[in-house]
Amino acid sequence: MGNIIRSCTQTVLLFVSQYLSPGDTVIDATCGNGHDTVALAKMGAGTIYAFDIQNTAIEQTRAALERAQLYSENIHLIADGHENMRQHVKEKVSVILFNLGYLPSSSKEITTKKETTVKAVSEALKLLKKDGLLCITLYSGHPGGEEEKQAVLRFARMLDPQIWHVAFIRMLNQPNQPPEILLITLKRGVQFEEDKNRMYTGAGQPQ
């Protein structure tokens, strides 16, 4: 297995491997260059929904899957914002991955935004099945990244502890604002109803 904490990507995929069973439905909420989508396919995901607002990312993901000989009719590449995922996904899913920031080797002007990201995470939790995993890789080194990270963490802190497990992983001694990982799972035995007010602590919802 090697030193999994050396790489944020390896750490995330190790967690994912514990929650994904062959044939499961999963979501790559920010498919980018296709690495996560390919990894999910290699793990045996039965149906994959991969989202990105950039057509370049959709085509790069398709090409990556084809190079790996993994592209199939069960992989849905969707050129739409991840905040709209419930318009496309109607079933419960085992794993949902977010990799925030900008598309590598592309314009740094096009990034995920705090408003749509928080909405997308809220929508994603409504699709997560019992014992499923939502994993967010956070990047704060680019313009707007720190604000987006803090907005996501505020949202996560408000999740009802009777319903959700929430964990945050950061590299404390690494320079240059390394990526951080947020993990959210639905507590075992909880029957989550699609009532937004049950998601959060207190009477309000995160802004």
Side-chain angles (χ1 to χ4, degrees), residues 16-193:
V16 168
S17 70
Q18 303 304 303
Y19 286 83
L20 196 160
S21 298
D24 282 354
T25 298
V26 301
I27 295 173
D28 183 352
T30 48
C31 65
N33 50 29
H35 293 325
D36 286 342
T37 308
V38 168
L40 292 168
K42 286 182 176 179
M43 288 183 191
T47 301
I48 302 175
Y49 295 91
F51 292 86
D52 209 289
I53 61 169
Q54 297 187 72
N55 287 325
T56 299
I58 295 295
E59 292 310 312
Q60 288 183 178
T61 299
R62 189 190 314 276
L65 289 163
E66 289 174 345
R67 285 194 301 271
Q69 298 183 327
L70 292 168
Y71 188 60
S72 75
E73 62 182 10
N74 294 323
I75 299 178
H76 307 282
L77 305 180
I78 302 167
D80 196 2
H82 49 203
E83 69 274 18
N84 300 321
M85 65 175 66
R86 286 212 302 155
Q87 297 178 19
H88 304 273
V89 184
K90 304 301 181 182
E91 58 198 297
K92 294 294 185 180
V93 301
S94 297
V95 170
I96 305 171
L97 293 181
F98 285 80
N99 209 325
L100 303 183
Y102 55 86
L103 178 64
S105 303
S106 186
S107 172
K108 296 183 180 180
E109 301 298 316
I110 304 175
T111 68
T112 52
K113 305 293 185 183
K114 64 180 182 180
E115 296 83 5
T116 48
T117 295
V118 169
K119 181 180 177 182
V121 174
S122 177
E123 294 295 283
L125 290 178
K126 297 166 190 172
L127 291 169
L128 198 64
K129 74 177 186 181
K130 185 175 69 172
D131 299 329
L133 172 71
L134 189 151
C135 180
I136 307 169
T137 303
L138 302 149
Y139 295 86
S140 56
H142 61 281
E146 180 64 25
E147 292 81 1
E148 181 182 40
K149 181 183 83 171
Q150 294 304 328
V152 171
L153 293 180
R154 281 194 299 272
F155 171 88
R157 290 188 189 101
M158 293 183 69
L159 290 172
D160 190 334
Q162 295 184 19
I163 299 175
W164 308 99
H165 291 296
V166 181
F168 180 50
I169 301 171
R170 63 191 308 181
M171 301 290 189
L172 292 177
N173 66 336
Q174 298 301 310
N176 303 322
Q177 297 169 293
E180 298 160 307
I181 303 169
L182 181 67
L183 304 168
I184 305 174
T185 65
L186 187 63
K187 279 194 170 183
R188 183 167 297 176
V190 170
Q191 297 300 313
F192 176 59
E193 300 169 359

